[in-house]
Every structure is written in C-alpha cells, then in structure tokens.
Amino acid sequence: SYELTQPLSVSVALGQTARITCGGDNIRDYSVHWYQQRPGQAPTLVLYRDVNRPSGIPDRFSGSNSGNTATLTITRAQAGDEAAYYCQVWDSTAAWVFGGGTELTVL
Amino acid sequence: QVHLVQSEAEVRRPGASVQLSCKTSGYTFINYHVLWLRQAPGQGPEWMGLINAGNTKTKYSQKFQGRVTIVRDTSANRVYMELSRLTYEDTAVYYCVPTRDILSGFFEDWGQGTLVIVSS
C-alpha cells in the first residue's frame, strides 16, 4: 500500500514562512491535497491538486510537488494558522491515503 | 451549500456493533457518493468505505471488509454506517464525507464527526 510520511511537528515564528513536507514514493506522479484541522474540528481542505486553493483560502497558502516530496508553504504565518496539517493522495490500490499529520506551532 | 449532521457520540463494549448516521442537505442526495472516514487519536484520517447514493453500490476498504456496512435512505437523505465486532482500536472520530466526483480525489465537505469510544 502507498504511504505518506510527514514530520510530527513544525515550528515557525510569527510572520515567517512555514514549510510542511509530505514524503511518498514518486509522489510527483500523484495529485496531493492538503487539509488543515484545528482541535475538535473536522479537517478543512486548504489546497487541492498540488497547488490550487479552494475559495476562501488565502494566497499565503501554496504548494509544490516534485520527486518524492510535496510541500505545503505558509507565508506570513499567523497565530490562526496553528493546527494540524494532513497531506492526502488517491492511490489506485489503496484508494484515499492520508499522511500522519504535522502539528504547526506559531511562536 | 452542503450541510451535514452526524449522530451523537457512542460508547460500546468490545465485540459490540455501532451504527452511525449522517443527515445530509443542501444538495441532490442521489447525485453524490458518501464516504466514511475515521480518525483515531493522534493519527491521520483513514478511509473505510463509500456508497453511491444513487444506485446504492458500495465499496469498502479491505481493512474493514466484513465488518462495515454502509446503507442510505433516500426518503430521509441519510447515510448509515455500521461497524461490527468492535475492538479498542476502533476508538476514533468517524466522519461522513459526501462528494459529487469521487475521481477528484479530494474532499471539500466533512460532517462534524462522531466520537466512538470502545471501552469495557
């Protein structure tokens, strides 16, 4: 089955840039989607198909996907960005696969 | 505007079954698939199964095959998920997730989640 690997935690200073990675074998061949989840809430889609933002998601959120790593980049980090972030792909064998999640802390 | 209301939290003994419901509104029920995902404490979401609300066809993750059943009630715009032979590892928040296009691969709308606790 296909597996996605994320760092457990990432810290970023207020106003700086956070980068959250998602590792997978030849992940460049997949469309990667990203979700934000605040405590006690359901996940919210923040990026789809590597680089696209749903309506209402600020352009501070961007993505890239190359080689074996996809990256969610959050510029000008705000306190409200503190949350868990999950990457996700659809795999023909494993269906919908999620990473284990990364806790973002804004210092 | 898709609106989802899931049933309340449940506590079950090991070996028991649990049935969760998902009340949907704001879209044409039979035009969507509804997926069920779960999220154990500290882990990422996990896909369990789905139903085509139009033709009732279901597909289940191999991990849950034989233990999960998903059905729908078009008169009530509801989807139900039953999980049997519960173990402590089934303690999780369970989400219903409708999608018009399962080929898109991503999920825009999630229910609020239902906590299931398996405890003796």
Side-chain angles (χ1 to χ4, degrees):
Chain A
S1 63
Y2 194 74
E3 293 186 1
L4 298 173
T5 302
Q6 299 183 237
L8 285 176
S9 63
V10 167
S11 297
V12 61
L14 186 68
Q16 297 304 301
T17 298
R19 293 179 179 84
I20 298 172
T21 59
C22 175
D25 189 32
N26 291 320
I27 198 171
R28 67 178 181 273
D29 295 333
Y30 294 79
S31 286
V32 179
H33 319 296
W34 291 91
Y35 300 84
Q36 176 192 72
Q37 186 177 33
R38 295 192 172 96
Q41 297 184 16
T44 299
L45 183 70
V46 293
L47 282 181
Y48 63 95
R49 294 185 189 131
D50 300 337
V51 299
N52 299 281
R53 289 185 308 276
S55 60
I57 302 301
D59 60 6
R60 298 186 299 103
F61 289 78
S62 63
S64 64
N65 187 3
S66 176
N68 294 315
T69 304
T71 304
L72 170 67
T73 300
I74 306 171
T75 58
R76 303 186 301 281
Q78 302 176 0
D81 298 332
E82 279 206 344
Y85 291 84
Y86 296 91
C87 57
Q88 177 248 314
V89 302
W90 187 87
D91 175 75
S92 59
T93 301
W96 295 272
V97 179
F98 289 81
T102 299
E103 288 285 344
L104 177 67
T105 300
V106 180
L107 303 172
Chain B
Q1 182 84 6
V2 173
H3 187 61
L4 306 164
V5 178
Q6 295 188 228
S7 48
E8 296 295 313
E10 303 272 10
V11 179
R12 291 287 186 273
R13 305 277 195 201
S17 298
V18 67
Q19 184 184 65
L20 309 181
S21 73
C22 176
K23 168 67 175 172
T24 75
S25 60
Y27 69 91
T28 304
F29 183 71
I30 60 172
N31 287 349
Y32 280 58
H33 292 76
V34 176
L35 289 78
W36 284 87
L37 293 85
R38 76 176 188 182
Q39 187 173 25
Q43 297 185 25
E46 178 179 34
W47 173 67
M48 300 179 66
L50 64 86
I51 187 166
N52 180 326
N55 63 18
T56 75
K57 286 187 178 179
T58 55
K59 183 177 176 62
Y60 302 122
S61 166
Q62 192 169 3
K63 177 176 179 177
F64 299 99
Q65 191 80 39
R67 282 209 304 142
V68 65
T69 304
I70 301 174
V71 299
R72 60 90 164 111
D73 179 350
T74 54
S75 67
N77 285 1
R78 282 183 186 269
V79 178
Y80 300 88
M81 188 279 293
E82 182 173 19
L83 187 62
S84 62
R85 303 192 301 278
L86 293 169
T87 71
Y88 298 117
E89 288 67 37
D90 292 317
T91 293
V93 177
Y94 290 74
Y95 294 100
C96 64
V97 179
T99 180
R100 181 174 174 82
D101 179 11
I102 61 171
L103 296 180
S104 73
F106 57 89
F107 309 119
E108 297 182 84
D109 301 294
W110 296 62
Q112 85 275 18
T114 297
L115 174 62
V116 174
I117 297 174
V118 182
S119 174
S120 56

